[in-house]
């Protein structure tokens, strides 16, 4: 009898796990999560940068190639992104729109929106450098949204929606990858430990402000292994384009400090569920063992050469790979929808009970 390889078996099990979980997660009786809100950077920007004067846009082909008939909505991927997939797995809705989408309707408001802006970070300088929406301005948009929601459903229901919904906070990658390492403005002012303190302090302030505005279930994502992103391999990985250990160690340092701070916040903010979400290890496992999840390419994106193309460099002239489902990364910075599906499912399974 022919022996079945371990890696092939792992791949089949992973695919079976994904296919059997297409239905919504069942929450305990009496527990509801009415909506999903997102704040932060490009991972959860559903198209807000479309209306911002910045080069960090992706509302053009080939972005959105696999999204509802190939429509480029401003999502930084080939298809759906984490806010969509999380809302889908929780049985809320199939898509989370951008708050600044000119086609946003009153009936879209109760299930949540994204205020995020590609290129944003906890460090205020990060958004200033690339002229995108800062976290403080995202909070202003949230306040504005609350006024619209109250007008649409009434104050009591609006407050209930906000307090019971899931609020995703995804930032920090651009602080390290761009502001600290690539551009280097902050590197001249801080060593990595003190910069990590600045980032975490800003994150803490943001979360407390979000809490004051009514959010209670707050999922704060750690920084991924940025040294293994295709663009960072190209910029800092040498001729062999290996993962940059310096970048990854910086991400781990911020994550350790952030996790500790969030634990304290969770204790000090009454009725809150402030939860640190580890994305570093799940994504690193995908990158280190791609075959276990059905992937073939782990070190470059599907767009263009895959080594450096992102936003305006990934365009209709760049070309794309034949099968993006075999790639972990869509461009040189952002995962494909298929990679997001695997990561989101793992996250929901691990953390959903922490918000109940």
């Amino acid at each position: 009898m022919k022996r079945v390889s371990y890696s092939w078996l792992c791949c089949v099990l992973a695919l079976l796990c994904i296919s059997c979980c297409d239905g919504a997660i069942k929450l305990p009786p009496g527990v509801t999560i009415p909506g999903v809100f997102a704040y932060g950077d490009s991972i959860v920007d559903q198209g807000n940068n479309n209306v911002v004067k910045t080069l960090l846009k992706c509302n053009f082909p080939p972005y959105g190639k696999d999204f509802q008939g190939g429509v480029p909505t401003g999502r930084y991927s080939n298809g759906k992104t984490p806010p969509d997939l999380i809302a889908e797995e929780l049985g809320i809705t199939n898509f989370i729109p951008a708050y600044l989408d000119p086609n946003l309707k009153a009936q879209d408001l109760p299930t949540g929106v994204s205020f995020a802006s590609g290129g944003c970070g906890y460090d205020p300088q990060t958004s200033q450098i690339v002229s995108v929406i800062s976290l403080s301005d995202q909070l202003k948009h949230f306040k504005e949204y609350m006024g619209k929601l109250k007008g649409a459903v009434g104050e009591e229901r609006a407050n209930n929606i906000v307090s019971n919904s899931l609020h995703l906070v995804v930032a920090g990658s651009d602080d390290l990858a761009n502001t600290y390492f690539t551009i280097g403005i902050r590197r001249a002012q801080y060593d990595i430990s003190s910069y990590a303190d600045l980032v975490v302090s800003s994150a803490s302030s943001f979360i407390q402000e979000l809490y004051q505005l009514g959010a209670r279930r707050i999922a704060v994502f750690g920084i991924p292994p940025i040294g293994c992103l295709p663009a960072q391999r190209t910029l800092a990985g040498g001729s062999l384009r290996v993962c940059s250990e310096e970048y990854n160690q910086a991400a781990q340092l911020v994550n350790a400090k952030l996790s500790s701070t969030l634990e304290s916040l969770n204790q000090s903010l009454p009725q809150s569920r402030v939860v640190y979400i580890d994305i570093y290890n799940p994504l690193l496992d995908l990158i280190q063992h791609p075959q276990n999840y059905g992937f073939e390419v782990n070190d470059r994106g599907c767009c263009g050469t895959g080594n450096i193309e992102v936003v305006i460099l990934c365009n209709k002239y760049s070309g794309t790979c034949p099968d993006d489902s075999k790639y972990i990364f869509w461009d040189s910075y952002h995962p494909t929808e298929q990679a997001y599906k695997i990561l989101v499912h793992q996250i929901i399974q691990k953390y959903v009970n922490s918000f109940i």
Side-chain angles (χ1 to χ4, degrees), residues 325-337:
S325 70
K326 301 297 182 186
Y327 282 65
I328 293 173
F329 295 98
W330 165 246
D331 58 22
S332 68
Y333 206 88
H334 305 96
T336 56
E337 179 182 305

Side-chain angles (χ1 to χ4, degrees), residues 27-339:
L27 297 172
V31 174
T32 59
I33 300 178
V36 171
F37 295 85
Y39 316 80
D41 61 27
S42 57
I43 300 299
V44 290
D45 180 354
Q46 307 294 83
N48 288 307
N49 273 14
N50 295 355
V51 297
V52 176
K53 290 184 179 179
T54 178
L55 293 175
L56 299 189
K57 298 177 188 281
C58 59
N59 55 338
F60 45 79
Y63 286 97
K65 181 178 77 67
D66 303 310
F67 187 92
Q68 283 200 310
V71 179
T73 61
R75 287 167 170 82
Y76 293 74
S77 188
N78 59 304
K80 291 184 178 182
T81 51
D84 303 313
L85 297 168
I86 289 171
E88 193 171 51
E89 280 227 25
L90 293 174
I92 298 167
T93 183
N94 292 326
F95 306 102
I96 296 297
Y99 175 65
L100 297 180
D101 183 346
N103 298 314
L104 187 70
K105 300 177 178 63
Q107 57 262 37
D108 300 324
L109 300 177
T111 50
V113 296
S114 169
F115 303 98
S117 178
C120 174
Y122 291 119
D123 180 352
Q125 277 202 8
T126 300
S127 55
Q128 290 171 12
I129 291 167
V130 288
S131 302
V132 298
I133 308 166
S134 66
L135 282 175
S136 59
D137 283 340
Q138 290 180 35
L139 285 178
K140 290 176 185 175
H141 288 160
F142 179 47
K143 292 176 188 175
E144 186 180 274
Y145 160 87
M146 281 295 294
K148 294 179 181 178
L149 183 64
K150 288 174 182 177
V153 303
E155 184 168 1
E156 184 178 352
R157 189 180 166 207
N159 290 336
N160 184 270
I161 287 170
V162 168
S163 64
N164 287 300
S165 289
L166 194 58
H167 297 259
L168 315 177
V169 181
V170 182
S173 296
D174 292 314
D175 293 322
L176 290 182
N178 299 332
T179 308
Y180 192 80
F181 285 115
T182 303
I183 298 171
I185 292 174
R186 291 300 203 186
R187 200 169 191 173
Q189 300 170 297
Y190 300 91
D191 62 23
I192 189 57
S193 182
S194 54
Y195 187 64
D197 289 337
L198 182 152
V199 168
V200 171
S201 175
S202 296
S204 176
S205 297
F206 175 78
I207 291 154
Q208 290 177 74
E209 288 183 71
L210 194 57
Y211 174 86
Q212 295 300 327
L213 293 175
R216 292 295 178 268
R217 292 170 169 166
I218 306 173
V220 185
F221 285 67
I223 299 175
I226 56 170
C228 294
L229 303 182
Q232 306 309 318
R233 285 175 181 262
T234 301
L235 294 171
S239 59
L240 297 178
R241 297 185 64 253
V242 297
C243 293
S244 168
E245 284 307 310
E246 182 184 15
Y247 288 23
N248 282 351
Q249 286 169 9
Q252 289 175 300
L253 178 63
V254 173
N255 288 343
K257 295 186 180 217
L258 180 62
S259 175
S260 175
T261 296
L262 296 181
E263 195 172 328
S264 298
L265 283 178
N266 198 38
Q267 298 299 320
S268 63
L269 300 176
Q271 299 180 316
S272 71
R273 295 287 186 275
V274 181
V275 180
Y276 171 78
I277 308 293
D278 171 28
I279 194 64
Y280 185 99
N281 289 299
L283 180 54
L284 187 63
D285 195 57
L286 250 67
I287 293 167
Q288 291 179 334
H289 307 102
Q291 68 281 357
N292 290 358
Y293 301 91
F295 295 113
E296 295 176 2
V297 184
N298 64 348
D299 64 346
R300 64 186 188 276
C302 173
C303 187
T305 65
N307 293 339
I308 200 67
E309 291 87 348
V310 63
V311 293
I312 58 172
L313 296 179
C314 173
N315 54 59
K316 63 182 179 181
Y317 304 108
S318 305
T320 57
C321 63
D323 185 358
D324 52 53
S325 70
K326 301 297 182 186
Y327 282 65
I328 293 173
F329 295 98
W330 165 246
D331 58 22
S332 68
Y333 206 88
H334 305 96
T336 56
E337 179 182 305
Q338 183 63 17

